[in-house]
Every structure is written in C-alpha cells, then in structure tokens.
Amino acid sequence: MNFESIYYFTELAKTLNMNETGEKLYISQQTLSNHIKRLEEYYGTKFFFRKPRLMLTPIGEEYLAYAEKLLTSEADMINKIRDLESEEMGKLMLGASSPRADMFIPSIIEKFTEEFPQVGLVLHEKQSHELEEMCLENKLDLAISIDENNQNENLKSSLLLDEKLYLCVSDRLLKKYFKNLEDLKEKSIDNLDLRDFDEVPFLLYTQDNRIRSLINQSFKEAGVRPNDYIETGYSRIALSICNKAIAAVFISQMNIKRWMDEFEDDINIFPLYSKGKPVSLGIYAIKNKNRYITKYAKRFVELLEEYFNSFHAEKLERIAKK
C-alpha cells in the first residue's frame, strides 16, 4: 500500500475531476490514473464509477473516510518521530481569516523562521466556521478563529484576545444630528448608549459576519433598530466610510490599532458596551484534540500569545479634538 496513491485518491475524491486534480498535484492525468488503478487493484475493488461521469462508488465513499484518518495518523507519526529525533523540520498547516492573517503572520513569521528555518508554512485563509471544520477534518495543525461559544468536544481552544469593538464616528456626521455635541461625546466615551444614535446612519457588516451578530445583540438590548444605511462584507471599507463622514461604523480592536494613523482628526472612537460590559469577540487558537502537536507548532502558539498580549493594555478610545 502506497501513501502517495492514497493521498492522490483523497484529492481526486474532492474534485471528481482528473484534469483539475492532476494540475493541483503537478502530475499528469495518466500518472494520477495509474495511482488510482494500483490502489483499486490492491484492494480488488472499484472506488470510482467512470461513466457517465466520475463519482465515488459506495465502497469508495467508505474508503475515503478511512484514507483521511490513515493519512492523518501517518502525518502524526512522522511529526512524533521528528520531535523525538529533535529534527526541527516539517510543515505547519495554519488557518486564519484574511484580515487577521494580514496582521499577525508578518509580525511573527520572521522570528519563527529564524528558529525553525526548515519548517514550511502553509496558510489557509477562510471564514472562522470553515477553519473549525478544517480542524475537525484534521486538515490544519492550528487555526486562529473568532469563536463566540465553541462547544465542540473534539476541538481544543485557548483564548488569545478578547477583542473589543468600537463605534467610530466623525464630528462632521454627528453635527448633522446633535446640537450639544460635546456632552454626547463625553457621555459616550465612558458609557456609550446606542439609543443616542438611533437617527445616525450606520455601516453594518453582512449577517454572516460574526461581528454583526454581536452588534445586532447590542442594538436589541438597547431597544433600538439601527439605521443601516450601508451593508458590507468587506471590513476595509469601514475606514473610508468613516473618514468621509458617510456613516458611523463598528471596528474591531485589531483594526483600530492597524488604522489609527489613517483616521481623520475628527473621528471619535467610543468603546461599545452592552449591559455595562465591553462588547468583545474572543480570538482563539484552536486545534483538533486528537491531532499531535509538534514542538514547532507549540512555539508558533507561544509567538501568537506574545503578539496578542501587546493588545491587552493598549488604550484606543478617544474624543476628537475641536
């Protein structure tokens, strides 16, 4: 039995397309076909129907589940052997959402690669729920996930940061709706009340965004329906919309820090509260409980913790100057 053939089988089972799979694996269709044929001959059965189109047989579907577990076990064993032999080499499979990956990967990769020059990094940029699924399927060593209430017993998570949310709004916009602007700002910096902003237009993230669910809950608890003037799934547009005084926006702590120098001088940054507590989103490092974690993966987590610790004491709220 050849692990390479098994791996090729699992990749073909995902696409059910010989040409696409061959291109992904950088092998010819004939080479791929030969590997599948050898695997089927070894077991004395067919894993694929070839006509009218390529699809898994019932036996092929059963074998796919077995093959994925087998490949994971083999990868775990290789990692264990390397650790025991103190060979600091291998491949680290990471997952993160795009905005966060843009921030933390460049910040820690230099130090990580200095310590582990022979470890390759493979980064998958997905939504948090997709990353969790990939961890469950043992396709990732580690994922950085936004996690509100993860109860899956097969995932182990460690909190990196309770990322606070902020309401960002310009004086130019507020002047259209408030006469006593300074009193509102002084009140909002310490105890933001969304009821005060019921007429202000908002940019809100699309409903599939986990930040949006927290914002929805905050408005619900305040008894206010937001004037959702703009809806977007693209977080970067929030900065432009805020700077142009088109709408008030909610921005996460990490993005506030990243964009601080780009805010116009008249932008107020108010921490979002609900029931007297800061509204925050947990950022977690997650892994499959059953997956072996290498010492270089453990070191990567340590570097992540060092990076996220820098956010804890930072004061980001501000009242715009006159």
Side-chain angles (χ1 to χ4, degrees):
M1 184 166 50
N2 185 296
F3 281 102
E4 186 177 39
S5 296
I6 296 172
Y7 173 65
Y8 288 168
F9 162 77
T10 61
E11 292 300 306
L12 180 59
K14 295 175 188 175
T15 65
L16 296 176
N17 185 299
M18 295 288 289
N19 183 54
E20 182 180 338
T21 305
E23 289 181 356
K24 179 181 178 181
L25 298 172
Y26 300 101
I27 60 175
S28 67
Q29 289 187 49
Q30 186 59 53
T31 300
L32 177 59
S33 180
N34 290 339
H35 276 279
I36 301 302
K37 182 179 179 182
R38 283 198 294 269
L39 202 59
E40 290 178 329
E41 288 176 350
Y42 177 86
Y43 287 101
T45 189
K46 295 292 184 184
F47 292 143
F48 292 96
F49 293 117
R50 267 67 174 180
K51 294 181 180 180
R53 59 185 177 85
L54 192 67
M55 57 187 298
L56 286 168
T57 64
I59 293 175
E61 291 178 355
E62 284 292 322
Y63 187 73
L64 176 60
Y66 165 76
E68 289 177 336
K69 291 179 181 177
L70 185 64
L71 291 173
T72 297
S73 296
E74 173 68 4
D76 281 351
M77 180 52 65
I78 290 172
N79 286 331
K80 288 178 183 179
I81 291 171
R82 285 175 175 164
D83 267 5
L84 290 170
E85 293 182 345
S86 297
E87 291 186 13
E88 298 174 349
M89 58 184 296
K91 186 178 291 185
L92 184 59
M93 308 295 289
L94 299 172
S97 60
S98 296
R100 285 167 180 80
D102 292 346
M103 293 185 69
F104 75 79
I105 287 292
S107 298
I108 67 176
I109 194 172
E110 183 177 2
K111 189 169 184 179
F112 180 80
T113 53
E114 283 178 1
E115 295 182 25
F116 299 96
Q118 297 187 71
V119 175
L121 292 174
V122 179
L123 178 64
H124 295 268
E125 297 184 48
K126 303 281 186 180
Q127 294 292 325
S128 289
H129 69 276
E130 295 175 297
L131 295 173
E132 291 159 13
E133 189 64 32
M134 290 179 75
C135 284
L136 288 170
E137 294 174 356
N138 270 308
K139 295 177 180 178
L140 295 175
D141 294 303
L142 183 71
I144 313 306
S145 172
I146 300 173
D147 185 24
E148 292 164 344
N149 189 22
N150 192 326
Q151 298 294 326
N152 194 298
E153 61 182 13
N154 293 315
L155 292 178
K156 180 180 179 181
S157 60
S158 59
L159 181 66
L160 296 170
L161 177 69
D162 264 327
E163 186 181 25
K164 296 177 183 177
L165 297 183
Y166 294 82
L167 173 63
C168 302
V169 58
S170 72
D171 279 353
R172 283 163 290 156
L173 181 64
L174 291 177
K175 286 175 182 177
K176 297 178 182 179
Y177 301 92
F178 301 97
K179 292 182 179 179
N180 197 339
L181 190 57
E182 295 308 313
D183 283 352
L184 172 73
K185 290 161 60 173
E186 289 293 339
K187 174 186 176 185
S188 298
I189 196 72
D190 295 319
N191 188 20
L192 175 70
D193 189 341
L194 288 174
R195 291 174 295 184
D196 294 332
F197 297 83
D198 59 344
E199 295 183 3
V200 177
F202 281 92
L203 177 144
L204 297 177
Y205 301 110
T206 51
Q207 294 289 351
D208 60 347
N209 188 295
R210 291 193 178 186
I211 290 179
R212 176 65 182 271
S213 64
L214 290 177
I215 294 171
N216 287 348
Q217 185 64 28
S218 298
F219 274 111
K220 182 178 179 181
E221 290 171 355
V224 178
R225 186 187 183 283
N227 177 10
D228 48 345
Y229 179 66
I230 304 171
E231 187 172 273
T232 181
Y234 179 46
S235 60
R236 177 74 190 186
I237 199 174
L239 176 63
S240 299
I241 294 296
C242 185
N243 277 339
K244 291 182 180 297
I246 296 173
V249 302
F250 294 98
I251 301 180
S252 65
Q253 184 176 350
M254 290 179 69
N255 279 331
I256 291 278
K257 183 175 179 179
R258 175 164 58 168
W259 298 335
M260 185 62 81
D261 292 339
E262 299 181 55
F263 282 115
E264 295 290 345
D265 291 339
D266 76 331
I267 302 299
N268 301 280
I269 302 176
F270 302 134
L272 179 61
Y273 285 83
S274 183
K275 294 184 176 179
K277 296 181 179 180
V279 177
S280 63
L281 197 62
I283 299 179
Y284 289 81
I286 64 171
K287 66 175 287 289
N288 191 310
K289 283 184 177 179
N290 300 313
R291 188 178 182 91
Y292 178 75
I293 180 120
T294 61
K295 63 180 179 181
Y296 53 78
K298 291 177 183 176
R299 179 56 179 150
F300 194 91
V301 173
E302 290 174 356
L303 292 172
L304 281 173
E305 290 171 345
E306 291 173 13
Y307 171 78
F308 282 102
N309 280 341
S310 68
F311 287 86
H312 290 302
E314 195 154 22
K315 186 178 177 66
L316 300 176
E317 57 266 32
R318 77 179 193 190
I319 293 177
K321 300 176 183 178
K322 292 184 180 180

